[in-house]
Structure formats: C-alpha cells, structure tokens
Amino acid sequence: MKPTYFTVGPSMLYPTVAAHIQNGLSQDIGSISHRGKAFEKLFQETTENLRALLNIPADRRLFFFSSATEIWERLIENCVDESIFHLVNGSFSGKFFEFSQTLGRKAVKHEVAPGNGFDLREIAVPGECEAIAAIVNETSSGVSMPLEDVSALALSHPEKLFFADVVTAVPAVSPDYSLIDCAYFSVQKGIGMPAGLGVAIVSERCIEKSKQRKADGKITGTYHSFSQLEKFAATQQTPATPNVLFIYLLGKVAGDMLTYGAEKMRNETRQKAEMLYRAMDQSALLSPFVVNPAHRSITTLVASVKTGSPAVIEALKKEGMIVSSGYGPFKEQHIRIANFPAHTLEATHTLAQRIAAL
Ligand SMILES: *Cc1c(COP(=O)(O)O)cnc(C)c1O
C-alpha cells in the first residue's frame, strides 16, 4: 500500500491531481502558447475557482510566482521604501524578516519564542513602518494566529500595508482577505499539489505603492514587478512563460474542492485536528508543543516527543504514515503532522489511534 504523507510540505497530493495531470497532458497543456486564447481561458478558470474557494474580494488581483519565498522578496521590492514591521515566532516568519534586512530595509521585529503566539496588547508597531508582516500559521512551530487577531491587527493600523503569510493555512483556514493587502501561499502545502507555484492575493494599494516607487526611480524588480504582473494579468496572462500545467492544475483542484464543499472541508479540518490533539493528550510520549490551545494550529500540528522523535517517525513510517521531523533546532524533539484537505478522516483516524497508543 502507498504511504500517507502527513508531512507539512510537500505533502499528500490531493486525490484528483494525478488524473488532472494526465488530462492536462492529453490536452497538450505542456505545449500551448502562454500568449494564446487557450491559456487565457485556463488562467481565468483558475483565478475564478480560487476566488470562489477562498472568498477573495473582487478588487484583489491574483499574481503567480514560483514560490512563497519569491513573494517575500517581491513584496519588499515592490511595497516597502524604508521600514517594515515583522511578527516573528519561528523559522518562516524569521526568514521573511531577514529578507527585509538583506534588501536594505529597516526591519523591526516583535519576536516571541517558538511555540508561543502573539498577544496583541504587547505589539507596538512604530509609526515609521509602512507595512506589517504577519503570519497566520507558523509551520516550523505549529502556532496559529487566531483569525480575529489577524483582522484586529489589520484594522488597528489602517494606514499601513498589511501582509499575511497564509502558506499552510490555505485553503482550510480562510482569513478576511478584504483586510489583507497581500496574502500569499504556495501550492505544495494545503492545496496538495507538487511544489513549484506561488500565489499572491494583492490589493490595489500594493500596486499603487509599487507604481509610486517605480516613478520615484526605485527598484521594483524586472519581470515580476507588480506593474508588469498587473499589466499582463489584465489580459489573463503572465510576464514570463509560467508553469502553465500547474496553473491549470490549481484551477482544477480548487474546482474539485468547491464541488466537495468548502464548508464541509473546513469542518472536517477542525474535526481531524481535534482527533489528533486528543490523541497527543492520550499518548504517554507525545504532548502538544504549543501550550495555549487558542494558538494551536489546526493545519500543521506539532508534538514534543519525550524520548526524541526519530524512533517515533521510524515506527509510524513502518506502518505507512510519514510525518515530518521537527524544524531546525527541534529536528529530533518534535514531530509535525499536516492536516490538509488531502488527508481523509479515515487516514487521520488511523494515525490518531496509533499516536494515542504511543
Ligand atoms: C513552506 C512555507 C513557506 C515557504 O514556501 P516555499 O513554497 O517553499 O517558498 C513560507 N511560509 C510558510 C509558513 C511555509 O510553511
């Protein structure tokens, strides 16, 4: 039997991916021009399905990139003149902060130790910062920012651009995109596709800022500047030859999730997370790494393993269940478990039973 990948990314492929790749190839998706009608049609289908699945407001643009990591760099180049504020609680949010520094911006961070969430009352954003970088789900530590906190933080600084990393939140956890100037993700996490495509959901304010920077003679990048992306997206195209097969696939998978039912998918995500956290509580070896239940991720769950994680990872692997090791310094102390739409109730139940018995 094929193993189930409960890894946090790349992860289990959504069950329809293989058939869509086959269909795409038989429709010559790998050979069609990215300047032709067939591509424009699939670009449109993908953006429409994503808008419906994630409840994206009509005034937001969707831009395609190669990864979420690329989007960090593009955001700084396009939208930040001098100074940006970062919320940091783990490796991914920390990396974005470092990108801002590397690109010569004044980066200010509010940092809490891995495993902790943010207390809004303790966050003080300096007036000089033009943008706030938040993270909805920190994959390295399994910490989530409650969606009401994401909204409250954005609403309390209306004059600043608000960026949100939603890489491992999407599509089961869906923030209010009307309050976020740029939310971004890549497809190898919750969407259940192979890696190689990043998506940014961008407000008019971000595009205006990019245009202003360009007019001021500042660097906004070349082919992936927001003005270039906007210009081409207006005719359902991209500045460079994109990953056409993956844009096609993303549209199809989003369509399948809509058919399955977005609400049903979100309810099941909560149900599966409860199952897994309950199992950690029952296990003698495992315990949730995130102490505050309000900050525990429901999409990437992290457990501390009393005896070290390698033996547990190996034992689960023998039974066809692949989980991630801890991230960075926690490599041998934690396991990380993905709870994405590709993970069925049945498969998750089996994993939960096994964990409870550890
Ligand atoms: C995986 C991940 C990223 C980076 O995504 P890439 O597609 O590898 O660039 C960024 N943020 C979070 C929270 C992630 O989990």
Side-chain angles (χ1 to χ4, degrees):
M1 217 176 75
K2 273 169 77 86
T4 304
Y5 281 85
F6 288 99
T7 42
V8 294
S11 192
M12 194 72 191
L13 296 183
Y14 197 69
T16 56
V17 162
H20 288 310
I21 291 178
Q22 283 297 333
N23 283 339
L25 293 178
S26 58
Q27 290 172 51
D28 297 333
I29 294 290
S31 306
I32 63 168
S33 165
H34 60 297
R35 299 285 174 239
K37 278 273 167 283
F39 176 73
E40 290 172 18
K41 195 161 158 278
L42 76 84
F43 182 105
Q44 186 173 0
E45 180 180 336
T46 298
T47 52
E48 281 175 4
N49 283 354
L50 269 185
R51 282 179 191 284
L53 180 66
L54 304 179
N55 300 310
I56 299 170
D59 66 353
R60 293 303 198 268
R61 310 295 168 97
L62 295 181
F63 296 153
F64 295 108
F65 300 87
S66 65
S67 66
T69 303
E70 184 195 351
I71 295 169
W72 286 334
E73 182 169 298
R74 303 304 177 206
L75 270 175
I76 301 300
E77 284 178 329
N78 281 276
C79 300
V80 181
D81 288 327
E82 309 267 339
S83 174
I84 171 167
F85 183 79
H86 289 262
L87 292 180
V88 176
N89 62 346
S91 303
F92 289 103
S93 45
K95 223 179 261 181
F96 189 14
F97 168 76
E98 284 167 18
F99 275 33
S100 295
Q101 290 184 313
T102 304
L103 292 169
R105 303 309 194 271
K106 183 177 177 205
V108 183
K109 66 177 165 179
H110 171 82
E111 186 166 17
V112 297
N116 290 293
F118 304 108
D119 181 343
L120 289 194
R121 291 163 305 185
E122 287 174 6
I123 297 174
V125 187
E128 62 180 351
C129 292
E130 304 141 62
I132 298 173
I135 180 156
V136 174
N137 196 76
E138 175 50 79
T139 315
S140 66
S141 61
V143 173
S144 264
M145 198 164 163
L147 294 183
E148 56 272 22
D149 286 0
V150 176
S151 295
L153 184 62
L155 282 168
S156 60
H157 299 88
E159 75 291 355
K160 299 186 192 302
L161 292 176
F162 190 77
F163 308 149
D165 181 326
V166 294
V167 178
T168 40
V170 160
V173 173
S174 201
D176 183 351
Y177 291 100
S178 71
L179 299 175
I180 301 171
D181 290 289
C182 181
Y184 55 88
F185 62 94
S186 41
V187 297
Q188 75 278 18
K189 313 276 175 95
I191 302 287
M193 281 173 52
L197 192 65
V199 181
I201 302 160
V202 179
S203 75
E204 207 57 45
R205 289 207 300 176
C206 282
I207 296 168
E208 286 311 313
K209 179 89 180 238
S210 172
K211 287 180 179 167
Q212 185 57 52
R213 282 181 51 73
K214 197 170 178 200
D216 294 344
K218 292 170 180 157
I219 291 171
T220 56
T222 52
Y223 71 115
H224 274 176
S225 70
F226 283 6
S227 48
Q228 284 293 303
L229 285 156
E230 183 202 30
K231 185 179 126 194
F232 282 94
T235 56
Q236 322 284 352
Q237 291 189 17
T238 55
T241 320
N243 192 333
V244 179
L245 180 62
F246 275 25
I247 294 175
Y248 167 85
L249 261 182
L250 177 58
K252 293 298 176 194
V253 170
D256 292 339
M257 289 178 176
L258 281 166
T259 305
Y260 186 78
E263 243 353 270
K264 186 174 167 198
M265 170 188 85
R266 292 188 178 120
N267 286 335
E268 283 181 6
T269 301
R270 283 188 286 271
Q271 213 179 319
K272 288 182 293 170
E274 274 168 32
M275 236 188 245
L276 289 167
Y277 279 123
R278 206 178 314 125
M280 287 180 204
D281 286 339
Q282 287 164 354
S283 160
L285 286 189
L286 270 60
S287 55
F289 175 54
V290 180
V291 175
N292 181 348
H295 290 153
R296 280 181 195 159
S297 169
I298 62 165
T299 53
T300 60
L301 295 73
V302 177
S304 304
V305 187
K306 250 187 210 153
T307 48
S309 57
V312 167
I313 292 169
E314 212 31 57
L316 292 172
K317 188 176 169 188
K318 284 211 181 88
E319 295 172 45
M321 296 176 277
I322 319 278
V323 301
S324 291
S325 64
Y327 196 94
F330 299 106
K331 186 172 171 54
E332 304 210 333
Q333 295 163 38
H334 292 172
I335 61 169
R336 293 179 299 151
I337 302 167
N339 173 22
F340 295 147
H343 301 112
T344 61
L345 279 168
E346 296 71 31
T348 308
H349 181 67
T350 305
L351 175 62
Q353 278 189 319
R354 194 61 195 82
I355 284 176
L358 282 171

